[in-house]
Amino acid sequence: DIQMTQSPSSLSASVGDRVTITCRASQSISTYLNWYQQKPGKAPKLLIYAASSLQSGVPSRFSGSGSGTDFTLTISSLQPEDFATYYCQQSYSTPWPFGQGTKVEFK
Amino acid sequence: QLQLQESGPGLVKPSETLSLTCTVSGGSISSSSYYWGWIRQPPGKGPEWIGSISYSGSTYYNPSLKSRVTISVDTSKNQFSLKLSSVTAADTVVYYCARQHRFGELSFWGNYMDVWGKGTTVTVSS
């Protein structure tokens, strides 16, 4: 199975900061990589699919990049509503695993 | 606007079968563009994909759960369902249903989960 590893597991940031989260796959997954945001008690919300495609309705401050094994989610200017946990997920091969998550906390 | 809603017992006894249904509203389940999936999430951990089904009944299952999982679809009711047998306390988690949007070729395709239900907590306890 392909393993997904996110880093860091948590980070502290302030409103307006540029935030970068990394996801690494244990083998190449081309661009079959999705990013989700999850707030406490809520279902995950799709932000980015196919590594860099912005889901409809998601603010443009979110962007994704990468291919092969290394991927990045960037929030260009952190907003109060962005404090949440972020997960990557690969859809290259089943069982389509998620990463362990990155919690973005208020500094 | 498409909505998904999980339903089913919130409490299941150990060794019994957990049964959940996801009702799709605001759109049809009968589209070749989508699969319909079940995902679960333990407290404080990342989501875990359980399995998925197409409207025609084609299924994919997570190998770690495959021996205990059955997913079915009822297009007449716009619903799909999950059965997880021989449950233990480790199956006490939040269960979500989601729409999986397919893209790519028929022979090799990717997907993303673009619409989710709100989730339901199932507790396994006697």
Side-chain angles (χ1 to χ4, degrees):
Chain A
D1 291 358
I2 298 174
Q3 309 300 318
M4 308 302 295
T5 304
Q6 288 182 234
S7 61
S9 56
S10 66
L11 64 90
S12 297
S14 300
V15 173
D17 284 353
R18 181 181 182 89
V19 170
T20 298
I21 299 169
T22 297
C23 179
R24 174 164 289 176
S26 59
Q27 65 187 72
S28 178
I29 57 170
S30 184
T31 56
Y32 291 86
L33 192 283
N34 308 318
W35 289 99
Y36 301 86
Q37 176 195 67
Q38 188 176 33
K39 297 181 179 179
K42 301 293 187 181
K45 172 188 174 184
L46 178 69
L47 300 175
I48 302 285
Y49 63 93
S52 61
S53 295
L54 190 67
Q55 171 67 354
S56 176
V58 174
S60 59
R61 62 181 179 273
F62 292 93
S63 64
S65 65
S67 66
T69 60
D70 294 314
F71 301 87
T72 299
L73 173 70
T74 300
I75 310 172
S76 60
S77 178
L78 196 68
Q79 298 302 299
E81 60 268 30
D82 300 337
F83 292 95
T85 300
Y86 293 84
Y87 295 97
C88 63
Q89 182 223 4
Q90 64 90 358
S91 71
Y92 182 83
S93 66
T94 58
W96 299 326
F98 290 77
Q100 81 279 15
T102 296
K103 187 173 184 179
V104 177
E105 299 175 300
F106 181 73
K107 183 184 285 184
Chain B
Q1 182 179 356
L2 192 80
Q3 292 186 317
L4 280 66
Q5 178 67 58
E6 306 89 351
S7 60
L11 180 64
V12 182
K13 291 182 168 57
S15 79
E16 294 191 345
T17 296
L18 176 161
S19 295
L20 296 174
T21 295
C22 183
T23 300
V24 179
S25 59
S28 174
I29 202 170
S30 298
S31 170
S32 59
S33 296
Y34 307 114
Y35 265 67
W36 304 90
W38 287 99
I39 303 95
R40 68 180 190 174
Q41 186 172 26
K45 294 190 175 182
E48 176 186 35
W49 170 72
I50 299 170
S52 304
I53 192 166
S54 71
Y55 79 96
S56 61
S58 298
T59 54
Y60 290 85
Y61 294 131
N62 189 324
S64 68
L65 297 167
K66 186 175 183 177
S67 63
R68 299 196 290 134
V69 171
T70 302
I71 297 177
S72 59
V73 64
D74 187 336
T75 56
S76 67
K77 295 182 178 179
N78 234 29
Q79 294 176 334
F80 61 106
S81 299
L82 168 71
K83 291 188 185 299
L84 180 67
S85 63
S86 305
V87 297
T88 69
D91 297 310
T92 296
V93 297
V94 177
Y95 289 80
Y96 296 99
C97 58
R99 184 179 78 172
Q100 292 177 256
H101 193 129
R102 292 174 41 145
F103 63 92
E105 305 297 324
L106 280 176
S107 58
F108 192 88
W109 50 274
N111 71 87
Y112 50 90
M113 299 171 187
D114 61 347
V115 184
W116 293 67
K118 293 183 178 180
T120 186
T121 298
V122 176
T123 300
V124 178
S125 175
S126 55

